[in-house]
Amino acid sequence: MDFGIDTIRAAARRLDGRVRRTPLLSSPMLDELVGATVLVKAEALQLTGSFKIRGALNTLLSLDDEERAAGVLAFSTGNHGQAVAASARMTGSTATIVMPQDAPRIKVDGCRWWGAEVVFYDPATQDREEVGRGLVAERGLTLVHPYDDVRVMSGQGTVGLEIVDQLREGGHSPDAVVLPCSGGGLSSGVIEAVRSTYDVAPFVVERHGYPKMARSLASGRVEKVPAVPVFLDAIGSPTVGEHTLAALSRHPITALEVTDDEARVAMREAVRTLKLVVEPGGSAALAAVLAQRERFAGQTVVVVASGGNVDAPVLADVLTASLSGPPGSGPQPRRAASSSDVTSRSA
């Protein structure tokens, strides 16, 4: 199946009435802090607490009755797992979720609440795809990949269709769209959808020091980074997808990086200015805009806050440390250009 705006629109029809139309939030306080008009797509308020339900449910609804009856499997740090677990329950299927043994407790509990079986693996010694594919073969399950599947990418792209509608409703003309990037499912879908209507500058944001998508865009092939426990676990995939890389390579992508501390500042500012709880990885796009505000000054910038599944002690630590300073305090903005930035050439 080819991926594009038509598959995204088909996913939107399939998901109609089954997922939330999340708000596009704004705040004068946030605008003043960045020096731009910042519009935040609050996927942290989505069913299961992240955008992942869109791609997972679109995939489950695309399976035949026999495949759903046999059950599905996902490997995930948590958000995709919860989404697949919920989608299985909503469609009368069963789910097995392969998760790292250090996954956030809120995400493990979420998978189990939706009725999934959770199988843990050690990320230091085991490969999650090998563990997952072994169980698929042993149990006759259908794998629901977290990102490298046109059905998943198309479902995530419905975030972009909603953004387009909300921009029109608000009378906004966007200059840039900024997305957190793990395997590339969200970024490929949203950028495809938004750029089908608006000629915006597309940005993807990765963990500092682990720019797998930036390297993949530069080399033209799938690149990997070490699989290590990370604060920004939602964007902690060690690799990108072949389908997602191909889709993003059609656009002039600029890849940015954020540090853990920059994510903590973004989490604090999301609570302070928008009253929105976001998890570390889900804050990455906002973190990049805050850290590199000179780059976005004077523009209208759409930011996707991709998830809000953060353990309470982690959120408490972030807010307690951040709020010891005045509003808007934290790391100073980085210069607009960096040697680690990579801009791809559109095909």
Side-chain angles (χ1 to χ4, degrees):
M1 180 192 299
D2 292 332
F3 168 73
I5 190 61
D6 289 340
T7 64
I8 296 171
R9 287 171 177 154
R13 292 191 292 271
R14 203 172 284 122
L15 296 175
D16 186 34
R18 297 175 181 266
V19 299
R20 293 174 184 158
R21 185 183 193 258
T22 55
L24 191 65
L25 302 177
S26 63
S27 162
M29 298 169 70
L30 182 59
D31 290 352
E32 181 180 85
L33 182 60
V34 177
T37 299
V38 183
L39 305 171
V40 179
K41 182 63 168 168
E43 282 295 292
L45 302 178
Q46 184 55 261
L47 184 65
T48 74
S50 87
F51 71 95
K52 290 284 191 176
I53 188 68
R54 298 172 183 266
L57 186 54
N58 186 52
T59 302
L60 266 288
L61 291 170
S62 300
L63 299 180
D64 61 34
D65 292 342
E66 185 176 343
E67 288 172 319
R68 280 196 293 270
V72 297
L73 177 140
F75 41 81
S76 168
T77 56
N79 283 341
H80 178 61
Q82 291 183 87
V84 171
S87 298
R89 180 167 167 178
M90 293 165 69
T91 59
S93 186
T94 57
T96 301
I97 311 300
V98 176
M99 304 182 73
Q101 59 190 19
D102 57 354
R105 183 57 183 265
I106 190 174
K107 297 181 180 182
V108 175
D109 291 346
C111 290
R112 287 174 170 159
W113 187 91
W114 285 105
E117 175 191 358
V118 175
V119 176
F120 291 108
Y121 73 96
D122 181 356
T125 61
Q126 295 176 288
D127 180 270
R128 66 178 190 173
E129 294 204 26
E130 289 183 4
V131 174
R133 293 185 191 280
L135 289 170
V136 165
E138 176 187 331
R139 301 182 182 184
L141 306 174
T142 295
L143 174 65
V144 182
H145 199 279
Y147 48 84
D148 203 25
D149 185 309
V150 169
R151 296 166 297 185
V152 171
M153 295 159 61
S154 299
Q156 319 307 28
T158 63
V159 175
L161 292 183
E162 289 181 12
I163 288 171
V164 168
D165 287 342
Q166 290 165 322
L167 289 169
R168 286 170 171 163
E169 291 165 5
H172 298 289
S173 180
D175 298 295
V177 58
V178 188
L179 297 119
C181 183
S182 187
L186 175 67
S187 51
S188 61
V190 173
I191 288 170
E192 189 74 24
V194 174
R195 281 178 56 83
S196 70
T197 300
Y198 295 106
D199 184 22
V200 297
F203 294 82
V204 299
V205 182
E206 303 183 88
R207 296 180 291 147
H208 180 67
Y210 297 88
K212 55 191 178 296
M213 184 58 80
R215 293 173 182 169
S216 299
L217 288 167
S219 70
R221 62 178 183 270
V222 171
E223 303 285 356
K224 295 184 177 181
V225 296
V228 295
V230 291
F231 179 64
L232 295 103
D233 62 285
I235 57 172
S237 169
T239 188
V240 303
E242 292 183 2
H243 294 300
T244 59
L245 175 59
L248 286 173
S249 294
R250 302 199 294 245
H251 302 281
I253 306 297
T254 299
L256 307 177
E257 298 179 27
V258 292
T259 67
D260 290 357
D261 282 347
E262 287 166 350
R264 291 184 176 97
V265 170
M267 292 172 70
R268 183 277 305 273
E269 293 301 341
V271 170
R272 186 178 74 90
T273 65
L274 299 168
K275 316 310 174 196
L276 180 68
V277 171
V278 291
E279 63 189 276
S283 75
L286 180 58
V289 171
L290 287 166
Q292 300 195 37
R293 61 194 77 168
E294 291 99 337
R295 181 192 290 272
F296 299 101
Q299 300 182 27
T300 295
V301 185
V302 178
V303 170
V304 176
S306 58
N309 293 309
V310 55
D311 283 338
V314 173
L315 180 63
D317 286 346
V318 168
L319 294 179
T320 301
S322 297
L323 292 176
S324 62
S329 64
Q332 292 300 305
R334 287 191 269 132
R335 60 189 179 87
S338 166
S339 60
S340 64
D341 295 350
V342 175
T343 302
S344 75
R345 296 181 179 179
S346 55

